[in-house]
Amino acid sequence: MSSSSSVTEKLPSAEEVAKDVAVVAKKSFSSLRDLVAGGVGGVFAVVVGHPFDLVKVRLQTAEKGVYTGAMDVVRKTIAREGPVRGLYAGVSAPLVGVTPMFAVSFWGYGVGKQLVESVSEVKDGQYSVAQVSAAGFFSAIPMTLITAPFERVKIILQIQGQKQLAPGEKPRYNGGVDVVRQLYKEGGIRSVYKGSLMTLARDGPGSAAYFATYEIIKRRLTPKDADGKPGKLSLTAVCAAGGAAGVAMWIPVFPVDTVKSRLQSAEGNLSIMGTVRELYGKGGVRAFFPGFGPAMARAVPANAATFLGVELAHAAMNQVLG
């Protein structure tokens, strides 16, 4: 009898079970909101930032002397392909991929914050810079599974667009699905995921800097209420913090992105060190920074748009769902 009563004492009460279920449900619902808001932010980012990204990639992958600079890429692209078709070449891949890509990034960031909260103390709901950075780094791990293949497809289509076709010659690829089909046929899943390690090497530290910068600047620009807690969110603060976050993300990882772009655009099996040596041999340290100007120019509006989309989506969900 005493044995059964001791077992009963160890079992959680109905009230404790209800509390645990409520906590799990709240976290799951919060993660779902992060997923949706991230997807909305991603669409905003592509619409605003794709032309800048196209210029960056073409500068990173073109042979020396093909372009004299960013504006030369824009002029030649528009002259050859038209303003919309040219500047949005390869946009189908990021548009299809960017919703899950950004959705998973912001979902991963939310999960990262939950993990941080489970192993360290969060005071008054305000995460420290180190805690935000850790959560940001974690977000890059699941995101790489989506980012790597979609960036490979996007880069291949962007480069294809700059090739001058001979009369009657057809492009090698007929869109994103055809790129994936041909890559898989040539080298299997490894070919589709080529450059994944460099994608993670870029996005891990980049995401840590990205989310940390956003949170820090947003807090400083958002007015506080009488209790010292953040007051009503300012969309101007969101855009400023988002733009700054984009710049902070790109500066430390841009050389890694150049190596990644080279790897993902190359035919054959180039190694990471082989690509690094080839780049350095052609132009020294400067060879790792082609397209840096367009990337910085893109970082501000594209990431301001990203976080604006995320915050507006969260605000809309809060209003509708409570």
Side-chain angles (χ1 to χ4, degrees):
M1 190 72 179
S2 59
S3 174
S4 64
S5 62
S6 64
V7 171
T8 305
E9 285 173 8
K10 289 178 183 178
L11 291 173
S13 65
E15 188 177 327
E16 288 173 328
V17 171
K19 280 184 179 179
D20 289 341
V21 169
V23 169
V24 171
K26 186 178 179 182
K27 285 184 178 180
S28 299
F29 193 50
S30 175
S31 294
L32 185 60
R33 287 187 175 194
D34 289 335
L35 201 68
V36 173
V40 173
V43 173
F44 276 46
V46 172
V47 171
V48 173
H50 188 79
F52 295 96
D53 185 65
L54 178 131
V55 172
K56 172 185 75 73
V57 168
R58 289 189 174 181
L59 283 172
Q60 285 178 325
T61 55
E63 292 300 317
K64 194 173 181 180
V66 174
Y67 300 113
T68 58
M71 289 310 298
D72 188 42
V73 177
V74 174
R75 281 193 296 270
K76 287 179 178 176
T77 297
I78 291 175
R80 186 167 53 236
E81 305 160 64
V84 177
R85 189 176 176 185
L87 295 178
Y88 282 89
V91 75
S92 58
L95 264 182
V96 172
V98 86
T99 301
M101 194 186 302
F102 276 79
V104 168
S105 175
F106 280 85
W107 168 80
Y109 177 54
V111 172
K113 288 200 288 188
Q114 291 175 19
L115 290 173
V116 164
E117 197 170 357
S118 68
V119 298
S120 61
E121 185 184 358
V122 178
K123 295 180 180 178
D124 300 322
Q126 295 288 296
Y127 293 84
S128 68
V129 175
Q131 288 172 326
V132 170
S133 297
F137 190 97
F138 176 83
S139 73
I141 297 172
M143 187 177 71
T144 299
L145 294 173
I146 300 170
T147 306
F150 274 103
E151 290 219 350
R152 176 126 157 88
V153 172
K154 179 199 71 174
I155 286 169
I156 288 172
L157 288 175
Q158 285 177 330
I159 292 168
Q160 175 176 269
Q162 71 185 347
K163 182 185 177 185
Q164 190 71 48
L165 297 175
E169 184 184 0
K170 292 184 178 180
R172 180 176 177 181
Y173 302 105
N174 296 316
V177 174
D178 189 44
V179 174
V180 173
R181 185 182 61 80
Q182 290 196 42
L183 288 176
Y184 187 81
K185 187 178 179 182
E186 291 163 8
I189 197 70
R190 288 186 65 181
S191 179
V192 177
Y193 273 85
K194 187 177 180 181
S196 294
L197 183 60
M198 293 306 292
T199 302
L200 182 59
R202 179 197 67 178
D203 290 347
S207 295
Y210 185 62
F211 286 108
T213 302
Y214 176 73
E215 292 291 350
I216 292 166
I217 294 180
K218 188 181 78 168
R219 284 177 199 172
R220 290 184 178 177
L221 295 178
T222 300
K224 291 181 171 57
D225 60 20
D227 299 324
K229 294 181 179 179
K232 188 177 179 181
L233 189 67
S234 161
L235 293 183
T236 304
V238 168
C239 291
V247 173
M249 175 186 72
W250 275 112
I251 288 175
V253 300
F254 196 85
V256 180
D257 183 66
T258 299
V259 175
K260 181 193 76 69
S261 292
R262 282 279 182 170
L263 276 172
Q264 291 186 317
S265 64
E267 295 184 8
N269 294 315
L270 273 179
S271 68
I272 293 172
M273 287 311 300
T275 305
V276 171
R277 283 194 293 269
E278 182 186 343
L279 282 166
Y280 188 79
K282 286 184 176 179
V285 175
R286 291 186 64 182
F288 293 90
F289 290 89
F292 185 72
M296 291 299 101
R298 173 188 179 274
V300 176
N303 290 288
T306 299
F307 280 102
L308 180 63
V310 168
E311 297 288 1
L312 288 176
H314 271 303
M317 285 186 284
N318 289 338
Q319 193 171 2
V320 174
L321 304 173

